[in-house]
Coordinates of all heavy atoms in Angstrom, one line a residue:
M1189 N 13.6 -6.1 20.4 CA 12.6 -5.0 20.1 C 12.1 -5.1 18.7 O 12.8 -5.0 17.7 CB 13.3 -3.7 20.3 CG 12.4 -2.5 20.0 SD 11.4 -2.0 21.4 CE 11.0 -0.3 21.0
Y1190 N 10.7 -5.3 18.6 CA 10.2 -5.4 17.2 C 9.4 -4.2 16.8 O 8.9 -3.5 17.6 CB 9.2 -6.6 17.2 CG 10.0 -8.0 17.4 CD1 10.2 -8.6 18.5 CD2 10.6 -8.5 16.1 CE1 11.0 -9.7 18.6 CE2 11.3 -9.7 16.3 CZ 11.5 -10.3 17.5 OH 12.2 -11.5 17.6
H1191 N 9.3 -3.9 15.5 CA 8.6 -2.8 15.1 C 7.6 -3.2 13.9 O 7.8 -4.2 13.2 CB 9.5 -1.8 14.3 CG 10.6 -1.4 15.2 ND1 10.5 -0.3 16.0 CD2 11.8 -1.9 15.5 CE1 11.6 0.0 16.7 NE2 12.4 -1.0 16.4
L1192 N 6.4 -2.6 13.9 CA 5.4 -2.7 12.8 C 5.7 -1.6 11.9 O 5.5 -0.4 12.2 CB 4.0 -2.7 13.4 CG 3.0 -2.9 12.3 CD1 3.0 -4.2 11.6 CD2 1.6 -2.8 12.9
K1193 N 6.1 -2.0 10.6 CA 6.5 -0.9 9.8 C 5.8 -1.1 8.4 O 5.7 -2.2 8.0 CB 8.0 -1.0 9.5 CG 8.8 -0.5 10.7 CD 9.1 0.9 10.6 CE 10.1 1.4 11.7 NZ 10.1 2.9 11.7
N1194 N 5.4 0.0 7.7 CA 5.1 -0.1 6.4 C 6.4 0.0 5.6 O 7.1 1.0 5.5 CB 4.2 1.1 5.9 CG 3.8 1.0 4.5 OD1 4.2 0.1 3.7 ND2 3.0 1.9 4.1
Y1195 N 6.7 -1.2 5.0 CA 8.0 -1.3 4.3 C 8.1 -0.3 3.1 O 9.2 0.2 2.9 CB 8.1 -2.7 3.7 CG 9.5 -3.0 3.2 CD1 10.5 -3.0 4.0 CD2 9.7 -3.0 1.8 CE1 11.9 -3.2 3.5 CE2 11.0 -3.3 1.3 CZ 12.0 -3.4 2.2 OH 13.3 -3.5 1.7
M1196 N 6.9 0.1 2.5 CA 7.0 1.1 1.5 C 7.5 2.4 1.9 O 8.2 3.1 1.3 CB 5.6 1.3 0.9 CG 5.2 0.1 0.1 SD 6.3 -0.2 -1.4 CE 5.4 -1.5 -2.2
E1197 N 7.1 2.8 3.2 CA 7.6 4.0 3.8 C 9.1 4.0 4.0 O 9.8 5.0 3.7 CB 6.8 4.3 5.1 CG 7.1 5.7 5.6 CD 6.4 6.0 6.9 OE1 5.5 5.3 7.2 OE2 6.6 7.0 7.5
I1198 N 9.6 2.9 4.3 CA 11.1 2.8 4.6 C 11.8 3.0 3.1 O 12.8 3.7 3.0 CB 11.4 1.4 5.1 CG1 10.9 1.3 6.6 CG2 12.9 1.1 5.1 CD1 10.9 -0.2 7.1
L1199 N 11.2 2.3 2.1 CA 11.8 2.5 0.8 C 11.7 3.9 0.3 O 12.7 4.4 -0.2 CB 11.0 1.5 -0.2 CG 11.5 0.1 -0.3 CD1 10.7 -0.6 -1.4 CD2 13.0 0.1 -0.7
V1200 N 10.6 4.6 0.5 CA 10.4 6.0 0.1 C 11.5 6.8 0.8 O 12.1 7.6 0.2 CB 9.0 6.5 0.3 CG1 8.9 8.0 0.2 CG2 8.0 5.8 -0.7
D1201 N 11.6 6.6 2.1 CA 12.6 7.4 2.8 C 14.0 7.2 2.3 O 14.9 8.0 2.3 CB 12.6 7.1 4.3 CG 11.5 7.7 5.1 OD1 11.0 8.8 4.5 OD2 11.0 7.2 6.1
E1202 N 14.3 6.0 1.9 CA 15.6 5.6 1.4 C 15.8 6.2 -0.1 O 16.9 6.7 -0.3 CB 15.6 4.1 1.2 CG 17.0 3.5 1.0 CD 17.4 2.8 2.2 OE1 16.9 3.0 3.3 OE2 18.2 1.8 2.1
I1203 N 14.8 6.2 -0.9 CA 15.0 6.6 -2.3 C 14.8 8.1 -2.5 O 15.4 8.7 -3.3 CB 14.1 5.7 -3.1 CG1 14.5 4.3 -3.0 CG2 14.1 6.3 -4.6 CD1 13.5 3.3 -3.7
L1204 N 13.8 8.7 -1.8 CA 13.4 10.1 -2.1 C 14.6 11.1 -2.0 O 14.7 12.0 -2.9 CB 12.3 10.5 -1.1 CG 11.8 11.9 -1.3 CD1 11.2 12.1 -2.7 CD2 10.7 12.2 -0.2
P1205 N 15.5 11.1 -0.9 CA 16.5 12.1 -0.8 C 17.4 12.2 -2.2 O 17.7 13.2 -2.7 CB 17.3 11.7 0.3 CG 16.5 10.9 1.2 CD 15.5 10.2 0.2
G1206 N 17.8 11.0 -2.7 CA 18.6 10.9 -3.8 C 17.9 11.6 -5.1 O 18.5 12.1 -6.0
M1207 N 16.6 11.3 -5.2 CA 15.8 11.9 -6.2 C 15.6 13.4 -6.1 O 15.7 14.1 -7.2 CB 14.4 11.2 -6.3 CG 14.6 9.8 -6.8 SD 13.0 8.9 -6.9 CE 12.3 9.7 -8.3
L1208 N 15.5 13.9 -4.8 CA 15.3 15.4 -4.7 C 16.6 16.1 -5.1 O 16.5 17.2 -5.6 CB 15.0 15.6 -3.3 CG 13.5 15.3 -2.8 CD1 13.4 15.6 -1.4 CD2 12.6 16.1 -3.7
V1209 N 17.7 15.5 -4.8 CA 19.0 16.1 -5.2 C 19.1 16.5 -6.7 O 19.6 17.5 -7.0 CB 20.2 15.1 -4.8 CG1 21.5 15.6 -5.4 CG2 20.3 15.1 -3.2
K1210 N 18.5 15.5 -7.5 CA 18.5 15.7 -9.0 C 17.5 16.7 -9.4 O 17.5 17.0 -10.6 CB 18.4 14.4 -9.6 CG 19.6 13.5 -9.4 CD 19.5 12.1 -10.1 CE 20.3 11.1 -9.4 NZ 19.6 9.8 -9.3
E1211 N 16.6 17.1 -8.6 CA 15.4 17.9 -9.0 C 15.7 19.4 -8.7 O 15.7 19.7 -7.5 CB 14.1 17.4 -8.3 CG 13.4 16.3 -8.9 CD 12.7 16.5 -10.2 OE1 12.4 17.8 -10.4 OE2 12.4 15.7 -11.0
N1212 N 16.0 20.2 -9.7 CA 16.3 21.5 -9.4 C 15.0 22.4 -9.2 O 15.1 23.5 -8.6 CB 17.2 22.1 -10.5 CG 18.5 21.4 -10.5 OD1 19.1 21.1 -9.4 ND2 19.0 21.1 -11.7
T1213 N 13.9 22.0 -9.8 CA 12.8 22.9 -9.9 C 11.8 22.6 -8.8 O 10.8 23.4 -8.7 CB 12.1 22.8 -11.2 OG1 11.8 21.5 -11.5 CG2 13.0 23.3 -12.3
I1214 N 11.9 21.6 -8.0 CA 10.9 21.4 -6.9 C 11.4 22.1 -5.6 O 12.5 22.2 -5.2 CB 10.9 19.8 -6.7 CG1 9.8 19.4 -5.7 CG2 12.2 19.2 -6.2 CD1 8.4 19.5 -6.2
C1215 N 10.3 22.6 -5.0 CA 10.5 23.2 -3.6 C 10.8 22.1 -2.7 O 10.3 21.0 -2.6 CB 9.2 23.9 -3.3 SG 9.3 24.5 -1.5
K1216 N 11.8 22.4 -1.8 CA 12.2 21.4 -0.8 C 11.9 21.7 0.6 O 12.6 21.4 1.5 CB 13.7 21.1 -1.0 CG 14.0 20.2 -2.3 CD 15.3 20.3 -2.9 CE 15.4 19.7 -4.3 NZ 16.6 20.0 -4.9
C1217 N 10.8 22.5 0.8 CA 10.5 22.8 2.1 C 9.9 21.6 2.8 O 9.5 20.7 2.1 CB 9.5 24.0 2.2 SG 7.8 23.7 1.7
E1218 N 9.7 21.7 4.1 CA 9.2 20.5 4.8 C 7.9 20.1 4.4 O 7.6 18.9 4.1 CB 9.2 20.8 6.3 CG 9.0 19.7 7.2 CD 8.9 20.0 8.6 OE1 8.7 21.2 8.9 OE2 8.9 19.1 9.5
R1219 N 6.9 21.0 4.1 CA 5.6 20.7 3.7 C 5.6 20.0 2.3 O 5.0 19.0 2.2 CB 4.8 22.1 3.6 CG 3.4 21.8 3.1 CD 2.6 21.0 4.1 NE 1.6 20.3 3.6 CZ 0.2 20.6 3.5 NH1 -0.1 21.8 4.1 NH2 -0.6 19.9 3.0
C1220 N 6.4 20.5 1.4 CA 6.4 19.9 0.1 C 7.0 18.5 0.0 O 6.5 17.6 -0.6 CB 7.1 20.8 -0.9 SG 6.2 22.2 -1.4
I1221 N 8.0 18.3 0.8 CA 8.6 17.0 0.9 C 7.7 16.0 1.5 O 7.5 14.8 1.1 CB 10.0 17.0 1.7 CG1 11.1 17.8 0.8 CG2 10.5 15.6 2.1 CD1 12.4 18.0 1.6
M1222 N 7.0 16.4 2.6 CA 6.0 15.5 3.2 C 4.8 15.2 2.2 O 4.3 14.1 2.2 CB 5.4 16.1 4.5 CG 6.4 15.9 5.7 SD 5.6 16.2 7.2 CE 6.9 15.9 8.3
D1223 N 4.4 16.2 1.4 CA 3.4 16.0 0.4 C 3.8 15.0 -0.5 O 3.1 14.1 -0.9 CB 3.0 17.3 -0.2 CG 2.0 18.1 0.6 OD1 1.3 17.5 1.4 OD2 1.9 19.3 0.4
I1224 N 5.1 15.0 -1.0 CA 5.5 14.1 -2.0 C 5.5 12.7 -1.4 O 5.0 11.8 -2.0 CB 7.0 14.5 -2.4 CG1 7.0 15.7 -3.1 CG2 7.7 13.4 -3.2 CD1 8.4 16.4 -3.3
K1225 N 6.0 12.6 -0.2 CA 5.9 11.2 0.5 C 4.5 10.7 0.6 O 4.3 9.6 0.3 CB 6.5 11.4 2.0 CG 7.8 10.9 2.2 CD 8.2 10.9 3.7 CE 7.7 9.6 4.4 NZ 8.4 9.5 5.7
A1226 N 3.6 11.6 1.0 CA 2.2 11.1 1.3 C 1.6 10.7 -0.1 O 0.9 9.6 -0.2 CB 1.3 12.3 1.8
I1227 N 1.8 11.5 -1.1 CA 1.2 11.1 -2.4 C 1.8 9.9 -3.0 O 1.1 9.0 -3.5 CB 1.4 12.3 -3.5 CG1 0.6 13.6 -3.0 CG2 1.0 11.8 -4.8 CD1 1.0 14.8 -3.7
A1228 N 3.1 9.7 -2.9 CA 3.8 8.5 -3.3 C 3.2 7.3 -2.5 O 2.9 6.2 -3.1 CB 5.3 8.7 -3.3
L1229 N 3.2 7.4 -1.2 CA 2.8 6.3 -0.5 C 1.3 5.9 -0.7 O 0.9 4.7 -0.6 CB 3.0 6.5 1.1 CG 4.4 6.4 1.5 CD1 4.7 6.9 2.9 CD2 4.9 4.9 1.4
N1230 N 0.5 6.9 -0.9 CA -1.0 6.6 -1.3 C -1.1 5.9 -2.6 O -2.1 5.1 -2.8 CB -1.8 7.9 -1.3 CG -2.1 8.4 0.1 OD1 -2.2 7.7 1.0 ND2 -2.3 9.7 0.2
R1231 N -0.1 6.0 -3.5 CA -0.2 5.3 -4.7 C 0.3 3.9 -4.7 O 0.1 3.1 -5.6 CB 0.7 6.1 -5.8 CG 0.0 7.3 -6.3 CD 1.0 8.0 -7.1 NE 0.4 9.3 -7.7 CZ -0.3 9.3 -8.8 NH1 -0.6 8.3 -9.5 NH2 -0.8 10.4 -9.2
L1232 N 1.1 3.7 -3.6 CA 1.7 2.3 -3.5 C 0.9 1.4 -2.6 O 0.3 1.9 -1.7 CB 3.1 2.5 -3.0 CG 4.2 3.2 -3.9 CD1 5.3 3.7 -3.1 CD2 4.6 2.2 -5.0
P1233 N 0.9 0.1 -2.8 CA 0.2 -0.8 -1.9 C 1.0 -0.7 -0.6 O 2.2 -0.8 -0.6 CB 0.3 -2.1 -2.6 CG 1.5 -2.0 -3.5 CD 1.5 -0.6 -3.9
A1234 N 0.3 -0.7 0.6 CA 1.0 -0.8 1.8 C 1.5 -2.2 2.0 O 1.0 -3.2 1.6 CB 0.1 -0.5 3.0
K1235 N 2.7 -2.3 2.6 CA 3.3 -3.6 2.8 C 3.9 -3.6 4.3 O 5.0 -3.3 4.5 CB 4.4 -3.7 1.8 CG 4.9 -5.2 1.5 CD 5.7 -5.2 0.2 CE 6.2 -6.6 0.0 NZ 5.1 -7.5 -0.2
Y1236 N 3.0 -4.1 5.2 CA 3.4 -4.0 6.6 C 4.3 -5.3 6.9 O 3.9 -6.4 6.5 CB 2.2 -3.9 7.5 CG 1.7 -2.5 7.5 CD1 0.7 -2.1 6.7 CD2 2.4 -1.6 8.4 CE1 0.2 -0.7 6.7 CE2 1.9 -0.3 8.4 CZ 0.8 0.1 7.5 OH 0.4 1.4 7.6
I1237 N 5.3 -5.0 7.7 CA 6.1 -6.1 8.1 C 6.4 -5.9 9.6 O 6.5 -4.8 10.1 CB 7.5 -6.2 7.3 CG1 8.3 -4.9 7.4 CG2 7.3 -6.6 5.9 CD1 9.7 -4.9 6.9
V1238 N 6.6 -7.0 10.3 CA 7.0 -7.0 11.8 C 8.5 -7.4 11.6 O 8.8 -8.4 11.2 CB 6.2 -8.0 12.6 CG1 6.8 -7.9 14.0 CG2 4.8 -7.5 12.5
S1239 N 9.3 -6.6 12.3 CA 10.8 -7.0 12.2 C 11.6 -6.1 13.2 O 11.1 -5.1 13.7 CB 11.3 -6.7 10.8 OG 11.4 -5.4 10.6
D1240 N 12.8 -6.6 13.4 CA 13.8 -5.7 14.0 C 14.6 -5.0 12.9 O 14.3 -5.3 11.7 CB 14.7 -6.6 14.9 CG 15.4 -7.6 14.1 OD1 15.8 -7.4 12.9 OD2 15.5 -8.8 14.7
I1241 N 15.4 -4.2 13.3 CA 16.1 -3.3 12.2 C 16.9 -4.1 11.3 O 16.9 -3.9 10.1 CB 16.9 -2.2 13.0 CG1 16.1 -1.2 13.7 CG2 17.9 -1.5 12.0 CD1 15.2 -0.4 12.8
G1242 N 17.6 -5.1 11.7 CA 18.4 -5.9 10.9 C 17.6 -6.6 9.8 O 18.0 -6.6 8.6
E1243 N 16.4 -7.1 10.2 CA 15.5 -7.8 9.3 C 15.1 -6.8 8.2 O 15.0 -7.3 7.0 CB 14.3 -8.2 10.1 CG 13.1 -8.7 9.3 CD 13.1 -10.2 9.0 OE1 13.8 -10.9 9.7 OE2 12.5 -10.6 8.0
I1244 N 14.8 -5.6 8.5 CA 14.4 -4.6 7.5 C 15.4 -4.5 6.4 O 15.1 -4.5 5.2 CB 14.1 -3.2 8.1 CG1 12.9 -3.3 8.9 CG2 14.1 -2.1 7.1 CD1 12.6 -2.0 9.8
Y1245 N 16.7 -4.5 6.7 CA 17.7 -4.4 5.8 C 17.9 -5.7 4.9 O 18.2 -5.6 3.7 CB 19.0 -3.9 6.3 CG 18.9 -2.4 6.7 CD1 18.7 -2.0 8.0 CD2 18.7 -1.5 5.7 CE1 18.5 -0.7 8.4 CE2 18.5 -0.1 6.0 CZ 18.4 0.3 7.3 OH 18.2 1.6 7.6
R1246 N 17.7 -6.8 5.5 CA 17.7 -8.1 4.8 C 16.6 -8.1 3.8 O 16.7 -8.5 2.6 CB 17.6 -9.3 5.7 CG 19.0 -9.6 6.3 CD 18.9 -11.1 6.9 NE 17.9 -11.2 7.9 CZ 18.0 -10.8 9.2 NH1 19.1 -10.2 9.6 NH2 17.1 -11.0 10.0
R1247 N 15.4 -7.6 4.2 CA 14.2 -7.5 3.2 C 14.5 -6.7 2.1 O 14.1 -7.0 0.9 CB 13.0 -6.9 3.9 CG 12.4 -7.8 4.9 CD 11.6 -9.0 4.3 NE 11.0 -9.8 5.3 CZ 9.7 -9.7 5.6 NH1 8.9 -8.9 5.1 NH2 9.2 -10.4 6.6
Y1248 N 15.3 -5.7 2.2 CA 15.5 -4.8 1.1 C 16.2 -5.5 0.0 O 15.9 -5.3 -1.1 CB 16.4 -3.6 1.7 CG 16.7 -2.5 0.7 CD1 15.7 -1.6 0.3 CD2 17.9 -2.4 0.0 CE1 15.9 -0.6 -0.6 CE2 18.1 -1.3 -0.9 CZ 17.1 -0.5 -1.2 OH 17.3 0.5 -2.1
D1249 N 17.2 -6.4 0.3 CA 17.9 -7.1 -0.7 C 17.0 -8.1 -1.3 O 17.0 -8.4 -2.6 CB 19.0 -8.0 -0.1 CG 20.1 -7.0 0.5 OD1 20.2 -5.9 0.0 OD2 20.8 -7.4 1.4
E1250 N 16.1 -8.8 -0.5 CA 15.1 -9.8 -1.0 C 14.1 -9.3 -2.0 O 14.0 -9.9 -3.0 CB 14.4 -10.3 0.2 CG 14.5 -11.8 0.6 CD 13.8 -12.0 1.9 OE1 12.6 -11.9 2.0 OE2 14.5 -12.3 2.9
L1251 N 13.6 -8.1 -1.7 CA 12.4 -7.6 -2.5 C 12.9 -7.0 -3.8 O 12.2 -7.1 -4.8 CB 11.6 -6.6 -1.8 CG 10.9 -7.2 -0.6 CD1 10.3 -6.1 0.3 CD2 9.7 -8.2 -1.1
G1252 N 14.1 -6.5 -3.7 CA 14.8 -6.2 -4.9 C 14.3 -5.1 -5.8 O 13.6 -4.2 -5.5
K1253 N 14.8 -5.2 -7.1 CA 14.7 -4.1 -8.0 C 13.4 -3.7 -8.4 O 13.1 -2.5 -8.6 CB 15.6 -4.6 -9.3 CG 16.4 -3.6 -9.9 CD 17.4 -2.9 -9.1 CE 18.0 -1.7 -9.8 NZ 18.7 -0.8 -8.7
Q1254 N 12.5 -4.6 -8.8 CA 11.2 -4.2 -9.3 C 10.5 -3.2 -8.3 O 9.9 -2.3 -8.7 CB 10.3 -5.4 -9.6 CG 9.0 -5.1 -10.3 CD 9.2 -4.2 -11.5 OE1 10.0 -4.5 -12.4 NE2 8.5 -3.1 -11.6
L1255 N 10.5 -3.6 -7.0 CA 9.9 -2.8 -6.0 C 10.4 -1.4 -6.1 O 9.8 -0.4 -5.9 CB 10.0 -3.5 -4.7 CG 9.0 -3.0 -3.6 CD1 7.6 -3.3 -4.0 CD2 9.3 -3.8 -2.3
E1256 N 11.8 -1.4 -6.2 CA 12.4 -0.1 -6.2 C 12.0 0.7 -7.3 O 11.8 2.0 -7.2 CB 14.0 -0.4 -6.3 CG 14.8 0.8 -5.8 CD 16.3 0.4 -5.8 OE1 16.6 -0.7 -5.4 OE2 17.1 1.3 -6.2
I1257 N 11.8 0.1 -8.5 CA 11.4 0.8 -9.6 C 10.0 1.4 -9.5 O 9.6 2.5 -9.8 CB 11.4 -0.1 -10.9 CG1 12.9 -0.3 -11.3 CG2 10.7 0.6 -12.1 CD1 13.1 -1.5 -12.3
D1258 N 9.1 0.6 -8.9 CA 7.7 1.0 -8.6 C 7.7 2.2 -7.7 O 7.0 3.2 -7.9 CB 6.9 -0.1 -7.9 CG 6.6 -1.3 -8.8 OD1 6.8 -1.1 -10.1 OD2 6.2 -2.4 -8.3
V1259 N 8.6 2.2 -6.6 CA 8.6 3.2 -5.7 C 9.2 4.6 -6.4 O 8.6 5.7 -6.2 CB 9.5 2.9 -4.4 CG1 9.8 4.1 -3.6 CG2 8.9 1.8 -3.7
M1260 N 10.2 4.4 -7.2 CA 10.8 5.6 -7.9 C 9.7 6.2 -8.9 O 9.6 7.4 -8.9 CB 12.0 5.2 -8.7 CG 13.1 4.9 -7.9 SD 14.6 4.4 -8.8 CE 15.2 6.0 -9.2
E1261 N 8.9 5.3 -9.5 CA 7.8 5.9 -10.3 C 6.7 6.6 -9.6 O 6.4 7.7 -10.0 CB 7.1 4.7 -11.1 CG 7.8 4.5 -12.5 CD 7.2 3.3 -13.2 OE1 6.0 2.9 -12.8 OE2 7.8 2.8 -14.1
A1262 N 6.4 6.1 -8.4 CA 5.4 6.8 -7.6 C 5.9 8.1 -7.1 O 5.2 9.1 -7.1 CB 5.0 5.9 -6.4
I1263 N 7.2 8.1 -6.8 CA 7.8 9.4 -6.3 C 7.9 10.4 -7.4 O 7.6 11.6 -7.2 CB 9.2 9.1 -5.7 CG1 9.2 8.3 -4.5 CG2 10.0 10.4 -5.4 CD1 10.4 7.9 -3.8
M1264 N 8.2 10.0 -8.6 CA 8.4 10.9 -9.7 C 7.0 11.6 -10.0 O 7.0 12.8 -10.3 CB 8.8 10.1 -10.9 CG 10.2 10.5 -11.4 SD 11.1 9.3 -12.5 CE 10.0 8.2 -13.1
R1265 N 5.9 10.7 -10.0 CA 4.6 11.3 -10.2 C 4.2 12.3 -9.1 O 3.6 13.4 -9.4 CB 3.5 10.2 -10.3 CG 3.8 9.4 -11.5 CD 2.4 8.8 -11.9 NE 2.7 7.7 -13.0 CZ 2.4 6.4 -12.8 NH1 1.9 6.0 -11.8 NH2 2.6 5.7 -13.8
A1266 N 4.6 11.9 -7.9 CA 4.2 12.8 -6.8 C 5.0 14.1 -6.9 O 4.5 15.2 -6.6 CB 4.7 12.1 -5.4
I1267 N 6.2 14.1 -7.3 CA 7.1 15.3 -7.5 C 6.4 16.2 -8.5 O 6.3 17.4 -8.3 CB 8.5 15.0 -7.8 CG1 9.3 14.5 -6.6 CG2 9.3 16.2 -8.4 CD1 10.7 13.9 -6.9
E1268 N 6.0 15.6 -9.6 CA 5.2 16.4 -10.6 C 4.0 17.1 -10.1 O 3.8 18.3 -10.4 CB 4.8 15.6 -11.8 CG 6.1 15.0 -12.7 CD 7.1 16.1 -13.0 OE1 6.6 17.1 -13.5 OE2 8.3 16.0 -12.9
L1269 N 3.2 16.3 -9.3 CA 2.0 17.0 -8.7 C 2.3 18.0 -7.8 O 1.6 19.1 -7.8 CB 1.3 15.8 -8.0 CG 0.1 15.3 -8.7 CD1 -0.6 14.1 -7.8 CD2 -1.0 16.3 -8.9
V1270 N 3.3 17.9 -7.0 CA 3.6 18.9 -5.9 C 4.2 20.1 -6.7 O 3.9 21.3 -6.1 CB 4.5 18.3 -4.8 CG1 5.0 19.4 -3.9 CG2 3.8 17.2 -4.0
K1271 N 4.9 19.9 -7.7 CA 5.4 21.0 -8.5 C 4.3 21.9 -9.0 O 4.2 23.1 -9.0 CB 6.1 20.5 -9.7 CG 7.6 20.8 -9.7 CD 8.3 20.3 -11.0 CE 9.5 19.4 -10.8 NZ 10.0 18.9 -12.1
L1272 N 3.2 21.2 -9.5 CA 2.1 21.9 -10.1 C 1.2 22.6 -9.0 O 0.7 23.7 -9.2 CB 1.3 20.9 -10.9 CG 1.8 20.5 -12.3 CD1 0.9 19.4 -12.9 CD2 1.9 21.7 -13.2
Y1273 N 1.0 21.9 -8.0 CA 0.1 22.4 -6.9 C 0.8 22.4 -5.6 O 0.3 21.5 -4.7 CB -1.2 21.5 -6.8 CG -1.8 21.3 -8.2 CD1 -1.7 20.2 -8.9 CD2 -2.6 22.4 -8.8 CE1 -2.4 20.0 -10.1 CE2 -3.2 22.2 -10.0 CZ -3.1 21.0 -10.7 OH -3.7 20.9 -11.9
P1274 N 1.8 23.2 -5.3 CA 2.4 23.2 -4.0 C 1.4 23.7 -2.9 O 0.5 24.6 -3.2 CB 3.5 24.2 -4.1 CG 3.2 25.0 -5.4 CD 2.3 24.2 -6.2
K1275 N 1.4 23.0 -1.7 CA 0.5 23.4 -0.7 C 1.1 24.2 0.4 O 0.4 24.5 1.5 CB -0.1 22.2 -0.1 CG -1.1 21.4 -1.1 CD -1.8 20.3 -0.4 CE -2.6 19.5 -1.4 NZ -2.6 18.2 -1.2
H1276 N 2.3 24.6 0.2 CA 3.0 25.4 1.3 C 2.4 26.8 1.4 O 1.8 27.2 0.3 CB 4.5 25.5 1.1 CG 4.9 25.8 -0.2 ND1 6.0 25.4 -0.9 CD2 4.3 26.7 -1.1 CE1 6.1 26.0 -2.1 NE2 5.2 26.8 -2.3
D1277 N 2.6 27.5 2.4 CA 2.2 28.9 2.5 C 3.1 29.7 1.6 O 4.3 29.5 1.6 CB 2.2 29.4 3.9 CG 1.3 28.6 4.8 OD1 0.1 28.3 4.4 OD2 1.7 28.4 6.0
A1278 N 2.5 30.6 0.8 CA 3.2 31.4 -0.1 C 4.3 32.2 0.7 O 5.5 32.2 0.5 CB 2.4 32.3 -1.0
Ligands
ZN2715 ZN1 7.4 24.1 -0.5

């Protein structure tokens, strides 16, 4: 079974929860978390891969640290934006 995946989305899903834990001032409702994801992914180049699940985890090791730093930076900026302009219903 093969999947077409945006590898960046996998990375954001992997990294975002750990960053949210450290953020005390950001709203963590579903809407805000999805907004953070969307903003971060719009800032990152899409990186589509065809793979099975095992392959995805091997890629993670291959692509390594720099990509992870880029993703963390994009998430950080997205968190700041959502903090300033939350779109959830009051
Ligand atoms: Zn919210």
Side-chain angles (χ1 to χ4, degrees):
M1189 180 84 162
Y1190 291 94
H1191 303 269
L1192 179 61
K1193 289 266 187 193
N1194 181 357
Y1195 189 71
M1196 287 300 186
E1197 189 175 349
I1198 294 167
L1199 273 183
V1200 167
D1201 279 338
E1202 193 111 330
I1203 293 168
L1204 181 59
M1207 291 179 71
L1208 284 177
V1209 165
K1210 292 176 206 145
E1211 279 284 342
N1212 296 318
T1213 54
I1214 184 78
C1215 172
K1216 286 159 191 164
C1217 76
E1218 192 184 12
R1219 178 67 210 261
C1220 287
I1221 288 174
M1222 279 195 177
D1223 277 339
I1224 292 167
K1225 253 189 86 167
I1227 293 165
L1229 284 169
N1230 281 336
R1231 285 173 180 274
L1232 293 160
K1235 200 166 179 58
Y1236 281 96
I1237 55 171
V1238 175
S1239 74
D1240 57 38
I1241 291 296
E1243 169 90 22
I1244 287 171
Y1245 288 106
R1246 280 197 300 281
R1247 288 286 182 100
Y1248 187 73
D1249 295 336
E1250 242 169 67
L1251 293 168
K1253 216 58 193 167
Q1254 185 53 51
L1255 198 60
E1256 201 177 318
I1257 291 166
D1258 292 346
V1259 170
M1260 287 178 85
E1261 265 174 21
I1263 292 173
M1264 246 159 16
R1265 293 206 188 118
I1267 285 174
E1268 291 309 315
L1269 257 178
V1270 171
K1271 245 188 232 175
L1272 287 172
Y1273 309 106
K1275 290 189 184 138
H1276 52 216
D1277 299 323

